[in-house]
Amino acid sequence: LTMSVLIQGDQIRAVELGVRANKASAILPATGLQTLFTVSGGRVLVTLLLGEVTVVFDGTTNSLNVVHDPDVGAVGDLNAATVCTSDIAGTLYTVTGVQAALMGTQKEGGTEVPTHVMAISPLTPFILPAGVTKLQTTGTDTTGATKWTMCYIPIDTGASVA
């Protein structure tokens, strides 16, 4: 009997969530914008947009939201601003695909131990045109840091995310 492997490792993720792009951990921008991803070559269907706190936020009043600045058209919010003043390392954020919704967060309230688990069932895939996806902050915290992952499926031939 011979058995062949059809799908393994990263290929399974590609079938379920699409292609993955990563943004390495970076310090929060003080009251400004930070580029997360650049969509080029056409439209993509975003199946997951996930952030993780890698360095604890310093307690400065702050909120985060993700915006998209398309090559054609105006900048738009992908979620409503979410307070993140003292978020601890391991706190997870997701963008649900509903513009008015707060960015989803998962952590154990008040403790220094994040759950590192997030239910992603309410996520709705959403379409982004060519342009730049950015993290927007309202506070002056320059010690906290996040890293981000976007999973996507190209809609147009040649569309990609970097």
Side-chain angles (χ1 to χ4, degrees), residues 68-157:
H68 188 71
D69 185 2
D71 291 350
V72 176
V75 174
D77 292 335
L78 298 183
N79 64 280
T82 303
V83 175
C84 60
T85 301
S86 298
D87 285 357
I88 59 176
T91 299
L92 300 174
Y93 306 118
T94 58
V95 175
T96 64
V98 179
Q99 263 185 324
L102 294 174
M103 187 174 341
T105 59
Q106 182 68 35
K107 63 183 176 183
E108 290 183 17
T111 70
E112 290 300 314
V113 182
T115 64
H116 300 290
V117 175
M118 175 167 277
I120 60 172
S121 57
L123 295 180
T124 302
F126 55 95
I127 297 170
L128 291 180
V132 180
T133 301
K134 300 175 182 181
L135 181 64
Q136 181 172 316
T137 65
T138 60
T140 56
D141 182 346
T142 56
T143 59
T146 59
K147 67 179 181 179
W148 291 82
T149 298
M150 179 187 287
C151 294
Y152 68 96
I153 299 168
I155 293 174
D156 296 314
T157 301

Side-chain angles (χ1 to χ4, degrees), residues 1-12:
L1 243 188
T2 310
M3 184 175 226
S4 61
V5 176
L6 299 176
I7 300 175
Q8 56 186 180
D10 283 349
Q11 296 167 335
I12 293 172

Side-chain angles (χ1 to χ4, degrees), residues 29-32 60-63 137-141:
T31 313
T60 302
T61 301
N62 198 8
S63 63
T137 65
T138 60
T140 56
D141 182 346

